[in-house]
Amino acid sequence: MKKKLLFMLALVVTLLVGWGATSTTAQAATDNSLARVQKKGTLVMGTSPDYPPYEFQATVHGKSKIVGMDVAVGQKIAKGLGVKLVVKSMSFDSLLVALQTGKVDMVISGMNPTPARKKNVDFTHLYYQGGYSIVVNKSEKGLYKDKDSFKGKTIGAQTGSTMYNESKKQTTDTKVKGMTSVSDLILALQSHKLAGVAMEKPSAQAYVANNKQLAMIPSHFNLSASDTSAAVAFKKGSTSLVTAANKSVDQIRKQDLVNKDYLPAAGKYLKTNTVNTSMWHYWKAFLTGVKYTLIITVCSVFFGFILGVLLSLARMAKGGVIKTALRWLATAYVEFIRGTPMMVQVMFVYFGLGLIVNLPALTSGIIAISLNSGAYIAEYIRGGINSVDDGQTEAARSLGLTNTATLRYVVLPQALKNIWPSLGNEFITLIKDSSIVSIIGVSELIFQSNIVRSDTYRGVAPIAVIMVLYFIMTFTASRILNYFERRMQHD
Ligand code: ARG
């Protein structure tokens, strides 16, 4: 039995790995990238909007929007191709994965075309040269001169960025801490968890201009020109698309559009950005977050319950070959899901399944969480059914009820009473754990709070707000569930 279970697991893993491997090698045989984008009519740009003036969130006519010079570059390229630009926000370290798995058509995110990246994606010509700086607390500015002044201290850099790698390579006795978002790094700096944050000079200037408590110093990193210049990334092998995009990029360079036009325009947004930083001002964003959190939770518990019932029945199936196979499959599934982190599952559904069918982030999130929840719910149900006394089944059977009828009318209703509290717990857990889907860009509560944080440059207040909102949701849910639990005890 154990051996067979192991075999099943090995099979599942082999299939998954094999699938991943073939899907990356199969690409780029023929290059129809340009034709594909033009047929589709949209050019989807992936970016990490925590990097003013390159890209950042700003409130335009009461709506949060991604703006910045990179968006202008994207618009110019899209116009050159005769298609519409769609901007998709995600964390910097998942941008290239999103590109490779076809979630976005191009990445513009102040990204430097380093040799390592060039191995995996294709870059256009350079559109802008930045250079590195280090942001410090103004009160400590006197202590630091450049990258060599941080001995015994910790500096921060965005995970997956060139600053992160260079800070590791080019400093001694300095700890380098990586975080997913630059806004978080700034927060950590202000609460003195970090002594400095390395980033591109224009970005450093933007953060300093927006926050009186910050200052900047030169980095004096030893860098090549392409390490400090930004280019647009496309999927490996999309030569036709890169060639077409290069026409716009060359124009941008030749007419110096970034300095003359895109940067001043971005600067205007930066100023309007800090006008109203009250949390009340953002109630709509928080409300959207609550809405999506609840949608994800309700859908996932619903589908998870259906899956859970099926799985638990399969796990309890006894008899012929098919039933035994079903039992093994269900057991392998439950073990596999419970043995891997939900975060990995969410990324797998979004990026992995995405290679076959292109699902939107929200759908992917609901699928992943339902699949995950189903495995747990299956165990609750199995436990609940097992807890119903055997005498009940025997009595029902001797009264002439069929197996199915016994299960449906006698066992399941009693089991449900036992399962209800665990099911309620699962619901409450999912309200909190659904926050994981923010990594694939679903606009749930955490995602919204990140937007508000980068919009207002305020770190703690949005976190406090969502903490209260999460509590209100879980507390209300647990009251409601308790009420039904008590009602059920009475019947
Ligand atoms: N230029 C650096 C890099 O290519 C950092 C870019 C960060 N961009 C951003 N949108 N956060 O790694």
Side-chain angles (χ1 to χ4, degrees), residues 47-51 54-55 70 92 95 108-114 117 132 158 160-163 182 200 227 229:
T47 195
S48 164
D50 54 357
Y51 218 50
Y54 291 81
E55 46 266 325
D70 280 354
F92 187 74
L95 284 170
I108 317 184
S109 202
M111 187 175 275
N112 310 132
T114 61
R117 285 176 182 154
Y132 294 5
Q158 189 166 36
S161 72
T162 45
M163 290 80 202
V182 179
E200 246 115 2
D227 275 345
S229 302

Side-chain angles (χ1 to χ4, degrees), residues 408-426:
R408 182 147 168 227
Y409 299 110
V410 181
V411 181
L412 279 185
Q414 296 188 66
L416 190 64
K417 205 190 249 175
N418 300 333
I419 303 164
W420 185 261
S422 324
L423 221 50
N425 273 340
E426 179 69 10

Side-chain angles (χ1 to χ4, degrees), residues 132-144:
Y132 294 5
S133 293
I134 299 176
V135 178
V136 294
N137 285 307
K138 196 182 245 168
S139 56
E140 294 178 349
K141 192 178 175 200
L143 298 178
Y144 309 113

Side-chain angles (χ1 to χ4, degrees), residues 42-349:
T42 56
L43 183 65
V44 183
M45 154 180 170
T47 195
S48 164
D50 54 357
Y51 218 50
Y54 291 81
E55 46 266 325
F56 53 104
Q57 302 275 352
T59 319
V60 185
H61 305 303
K63 269 211 182 125
S64 186
K65 216 176 128 187
I66 300 174
V67 295
M69 65 180 233
D70 280 354
V71 180
V73 171
Q75 243 136 19
K76 173 95 180 159
I77 293 176
K79 204 168 162 208
L81 304 182
V83 295
K84 216 179 129 236
L85 181 77
V86 176
V87 184
K88 232 180 181 174
S89 148
M90 54 191 79
S91 67
F92 187 74
D93 51 0
S94 45
L95 284 170
L96 291 188
V97 184
L99 186 60
Q100 283 163 334
T101 54
K103 292 286 158 197
V104 299
D105 301 315
M106 66 175 175
V107 167
I108 317 184
S109 202
M111 187 175 275
N112 310 132
T114 61
R117 285 176 182 154
K118 274 190 187 152
K119 281 195 192 130
N120 296 305
V121 295
D122 287 343
F123 282 100
T124 60
H125 301 153
L126 307 172
Y127 63 84
Y128 184 73
Q129 170 143 32
Y132 294 5
S133 293
I134 299 176
V135 178
V136 294
N137 285 307
K138 196 182 245 168
S139 56
E140 294 178 349
K141 192 178 175 200
L143 298 178
Y144 309 113
K145 216 176 93 246
D146 60 16
K147 68 167 174 31
D148 298 320
S149 325
F150 294 91
K151 295 214 162 56
K153 302 253 156 82
T154 308
I155 58 172
Q158 189 166 36
T159 320
S161 72
T162 45
M163 290 80 202
Y164 181 80
N165 294 334
E166 295 308 322
S167 302
K168 285 226 144 167
K169 265 192 250 155
Q170 297 194 32
T171 57
T172 36
D173 293 332
T174 304
K175 250 178 93 177
V176 182
K177 190 168 164 56
M179 287 190 189
T180 314
S181 107
V182 179
S183 347
D184 286 346
L185 286 165
I186 293 292
L187 264 177
L189 174 68
Q190 289 196 272
S191 53
H192 298 274
K193 306 246 175 347
L194 299 172
V197 179
M199 65 180 82
E200 246 115 2
K201 192 172 169 191
S203 229
Q205 281 164 336
Y207 273 104
V208 170
N210 265 279
N211 192 325
K212 287 187 205 68
Q213 279 141 23
L214 300 176
M216 61 192 272
I217 57 169
S219 70
H220 292 148
F221 276 116
N222 189 1
L223 297 160
S224 71
S226 74
D227 275 345
T228 55
S229 302
V232 184
F234 286 96
K235 197 167 175 170
K236 191 102 202 142
S238 18
T239 321
S240 55
L241 202 47
V242 175
T243 313
N246 264 334
K247 286 198 191 116
S248 304
V249 172
D250 292 346
Q251 264 180 28
I252 293 175
R253 273 313 275 259
K254 216 167 113 217
Q255 301 168 11
D256 197 17
L257 289 181
V258 173
N259 285 318
K260 284 202 188 122
D261 190 356
Y262 302 167
L263 271 177
K268 281 200 199 105
Y269 284 122
L270 264 177
K271 280 192 206 100
T272 54
N273 218 3
T274 39
V275 171
N276 196 337
T277 62
S278 140
M279 288 298 114
W280 294 117
H281 188 67
Y282 290 91
W283 68 270
K284 266 194 196 146
F286 289 116
L287 193 70
T288 313
V290 168
K291 186 177 92 192
Y292 279 107
T293 293
L294 288 176
I295 290 178
I296 297 166
T297 309
V298 171
C299 292
S300 303
V301 171
F302 179 76
F303 293 122
F305 182 73
I306 297 176
L307 180 65
V309 171
L310 296 176
L311 282 171
S312 64
L313 292 180
R315 282 202 75 175
M316 290 185 299
K318 284 196 190 83
V321 184
I322 296 183
K323 283 191 175 167
T324 314
L326 267 181
R327 192 172 72 232
W328 284 341
L329 266 181
T331 311
Y333 179 85
V334 170
E335 293 297 335
F336 189 75
I337 293 290
R338 294 203 305 177
T340 48
M342 180 143 89
M343 181 168 172
V344 178
Q345 294 160 6
V346 168
M347 299 209 317
F348 188 81
V349 169

